[in-house]
Amino acid sequence: MTSSFLALSFSRMLERISNGSIAVERDKFVAENSLPNERGKAYGKIMLSKTMGCFLGPLLLAFWCVLYPSVDGGHYISLILVSLLFSLLAGWFMGFLPQEPKHTPQAKLSIPSWSEVCQVANSHKALLGCFVLFLLGRFNDGVLILYLKDIGLSPKFYLATIGIFNYVSLMTAHPVGRLLDRGYRISLIYVTVLALALFNLCFLIKGETWVLMLGVALWGFQRSSFQIILTTMLSHIVPSAHLGTALGLAALLKGIVFLISCVLAGILADISYSWVFVFGLATSLLTLLTIPRKAIRNLGHTHES
């Protein structure tokens, strides 16, 4: 509730910490309570319900901006208070979740050693490198809004950007999960990377508004698709006893790469927004060329050659 950059950064950091903590526990819970051949569908449903909130939130913001056009003049505080109310409601609803079984005092905590973690990472290094390269081409959603605002697009479009791509994520999450369960893992990875490449292309050509909105939709698809693919594949690769550690390390790696990609996007945007999308397109195309088909097939449960 202050204009201080440090205070806003600290607030954002706390929000990310809570989000990451909940996400790891949630994804582990889903893996433990779903059949191996139905985890894609389960993660798709989780993404659908999570993204529903991400869609309704921007919708609330857009409604608030219409209701109070002077939102820059101080109405952010009331928006934050409304958001806080929803957070408290979420905490209240958690009280109705099934209780986890209590561990006996004799139960031994299973924590993988660093050598075991390195062994798993090394055995899937081609796949890991491909994912890191893909993540380098993704940046903060705010870059889209700033770019659309900078080129003079109507506020009704750039304010609705987050709502649009979250709506696309919401609508595609469940089908992506179902296709994963049916063994179309390789095809979905290709389609996801291609969607990111086409997004950058849409923003590079600077065409009509519908071209930019198509790019926004593609951005939304690859966001949910990538997350569902990543968590589903991790749940199949890592033993269930160490899945929480694997999910936490994956989130840490994503955060580090995301920080690098955002810094790069900021530097390139100061030169020209076009360079941001050139970089994103280049990393996407490079990812398409380096997708380790054999390593993915070796994971099993795929109908693709």
Side-chain angles (χ1 to χ4, degrees), residues 239-261:
S240 58
H242 298 158
L243 183 58
T245 302
L247 289 168
L249 288 174
L252 176 63
L253 178 62
K254 281 176 59 184
I256 293 171
V257 178
F258 184 64
L259 175 63
I260 295 171
S261 69

Side-chain angles (χ1 to χ4, degrees), residues 9-28:
S9 299
F10 183 67
S11 173
R12 178 65 171 170
M13 183 182 70
L14 291 177
E15 186 269 332
R16 288 289 89 192
I17 290 173
S18 65
N19 182 278
S21 302
I22 292 171
V24 170
E25 185 64 29
R26 178 198 65 210
D27 292 341
K28 185 175 183 294

Side-chain angles (χ1 to χ4, degrees), residues 61 76 150 284 288:
L61 174 61
Y76 281 128
D150 190 66
S284 303
L288 279 172

Side-chain angles (χ1 to χ4, degrees), residues 13-82:
M13 183 182 70
L14 291 177
E15 186 269 332
R16 288 289 89 192
I17 290 173
S18 65
N19 182 278
S21 302
I22 292 171
V24 170
E25 185 64 29
R26 178 198 65 210
D27 292 341
K28 185 175 183 294
F29 180 83
V30 170
E32 292 175 341
N33 292 273
S34 59
L35 297 173
N37 62 341
E38 292 185 351
R39 282 180 187 161
K41 182 174 68 174
Y43 283 122
K45 287 181 177 179
I46 288 294
M47 180 61 68
L48 188 152
S49 59
K50 180 180 81 76
T51 311
M52 177 68 76
C54 297
F55 169 68
L56 293 176
L59 195 64
L60 172 65
L61 174 61
F63 174 75
W64 208 271
C65 290
V66 171
L67 196 63
Y68 300 105
S70 59
V71 68
D72 290 329
H75 293 298
Y76 281 128
I77 293 178
S78 44
L79 268 174
I80 292 171
L81 291 174
V82 171

